[in-house]
Amino acid sequence: MKLSGQRKLNQRIGRKLWIAGALALGVLAGCDTFDPKADGALDGFTAEQIFQRGEAELNRGQEDDAAFYFGEIERLYPYSEWAKRALIMQAFSYHRDQDYPNSRSAAQRYLDFYPAEEDAAYAQYLLALSYYDQIDAIGRDQGLTFQALQALRAVIERYPDSEYAQASILKFDLAFDHLAAKEMEIGRYYLKRNHFAAAANRFRVVVEDFQTTSHTPEALHRLVETYLSLGLTDEAQTAGAILGYNYQSTEWYQDSFALLTGQGLEMRSVGDNWLSAIYRQVVRGEWL
């Protein structure tokens, strides 16, 4: 099948660009004594040539070197279209190199300089990832998790129609779940040491503030345990009632049922306490 005239033209242009890029890489890397990081070393090269070198370093897995070349474009050609493209690529390169502070800095500069550009959504997403990708262990400082949540929320609210919004929603839910996991970890720590009041406070935080996470059924069961240990049977029965209403198929419901019935108690809302208020909301369908 013969190619159309336009397609032939596109192929010729593409080949010329490929040859130009290869020549640029040869010029930049062909001399053993050439030091691209020396003062003024790249002053004679075009923005496009430097950009192509940055892309080549990315392809080689040299993210730090790629970020350097993209940064040089920003320095040498600060008001060019290439500088705009290079800045978002610099943020990406640093992120892939796990240099999160520099990735965040480049992404923030992009947002400051080009807030209305199409790649602004991606810059905000990279900024969020610079926090999110450091959330690796429950025991880590939770300040990163809070910052990730704020940055992910910015993607969701400012760029709801972007391709990054859905991914940000999923990561937001996971980060939110992570915070609940931290509260549960601390609560269990107190519970094992018979610090029941302190444990109950942590489990209460999960039930009140992290209702949509996967940790809520266990938190309710732990409240049954702690309140029984404290002799607060009304609260224990009401926590069991919420478990029975929403999470009857879980192992936590079975464990709480055994605990309560073993002491001649029921899984029902009793008294007027913070859990009974939540139970009323559950019955009305306002909290699930």
Side-chain angles (χ1 to χ4, degrees):
M1 181 182 293
K2 291 185 178 181
L3 297 173
S4 66
Q6 183 62 48
R7 188 175 178 187
K8 287 180 180 180
L9 178 61
N10 290 342
Q11 286 193 342
R12 287 200 299 272
I13 292 173
R15 178 169 176 78
K16 287 179 180 178
L17 287 174
W18 184 88
I19 293 172
L23 289 174
L25 297 183
V27 170
L28 285 172
C31 179
D32 292 338
T33 60
F34 177 71
D35 181 7
K37 297 185 180 181
D39 289 343
L42 297 177
D43 289 357
F45 296 96
T46 68
E48 183 177 6
Q49 287 174 325
I50 302 172
F51 189 94
Q52 289 170 342
R53 182 60 186 179
E55 288 184 316
E57 294 298 333
L58 266 182
N59 291 334
R60 291 176 56 226
Q62 301 299 316
E63 291 86 0
D64 186 55
D65 288 336
F68 164 76
Y69 283 109
F70 293 131
E72 283 298 281
I73 296 173
E74 187 183 6
R75 182 180 69 84
L76 295 170
Y77 303 94
Y79 305 110
S80 67
E81 185 68 21
W82 286 105
K84 179 170 61 177
R85 293 175 58 185
L87 186 52
I88 195 69
M89 290 300 294
Q90 185 183 41
F92 170 76
S93 300
Y94 277 132
H95 185 268
R96 207 163 83 171
D97 197 39
Q98 297 183 8
D99 186 347
Y100 299 117
N102 277 323
S103 175
R104 185 158 56 248
S105 177
Q108 187 60 61
R109 286 202 308 281
Y110 190 95
L111 291 169
D112 291 341
F113 297 155
Y114 314 108
E117 293 296 327
E118 182 179 357
D119 282 331
Y122 184 54
Q124 180 64 53
Y125 184 61
L126 279 175
L127 195 154
L129 289 182
S130 73
Y131 294 116
Y132 180 85
D133 285 351
Q134 294 182 80
I135 306 172
D136 52 4
I138 291 175
R140 198 183 181 105
D141 177 15
Q142 295 306 294
L144 286 169
T145 309
F146 282 111
Q147 289 171 307
L149 285 168
Q150 291 175 335
L152 288 166
R153 182 177 179 178
V155 178
I156 298 164
E157 293 182 347
R158 296 177 192 171
Y159 311 102
D161 299 324
S162 74
E163 61 185 296
Y164 311 107
Q166 189 59 42
S168 294
I169 291 172
L170 294 175
K171 286 180 169 58
F172 186 96
D173 289 342
L174 289 172
F176 198 63
D177 197 85
H178 185 90
L179 286 179
K182 180 63 177 179
E183 294 295 325
M184 291 299 299
E185 181 190 46
I186 297 172
R188 291 189 210 100
Y189 174 87
Y190 287 134
L191 184 60
K192 287 179 181 178
R193 286 155 181 78
N194 297 327
H195 300 317
F196 301 118
N201 286 336
R202 293 294 181 167
F203 300 136
R204 177 173 179 170
V205 168
V206 175
V207 171
E208 288 189 318
D209 297 337
F210 299 96
Q211 300 167 0
T212 59
T213 70
S214 62
H215 301 281
T216 303
E218 184 188 352
L220 287 164
H221 168 66
R222 299 302 179 191
L223 284 171
V224 172
E225 286 185 314
T226 54
Y227 283 139
L228 285 177
S229 298
L230 289 167
L232 301 174
T233 56
D234 287 358
E235 286 83 352
Q237 290 181 96
T238 306
I242 298 171
L243 258 176
Y245 196 89
N246 271 342
Y247 307 105
Q248 197 168 119
S249 61
T250 67
E251 60 179 305
W252 306 115
Y253 167 79
Q254 300 299 328
D255 291 344
S256 288
F257 181 84
L259 275 176
L260 289 166
T261 56
Q263 297 190 29
L265 301 171
E266 300 179 61
M267 304 185 88
R268 63 188 182 91
S269 180
V270 183
D272 187 14
N273 52 68
W274 71 273
L275 278 164
S276 60
I278 288 179
Y279 181 79
R280 288 192 294 272
Q281 292 175 335
V282 169
V283 171
R284 290 199 299 266
E286 298 173 8
W287 183 87
L288 296 175

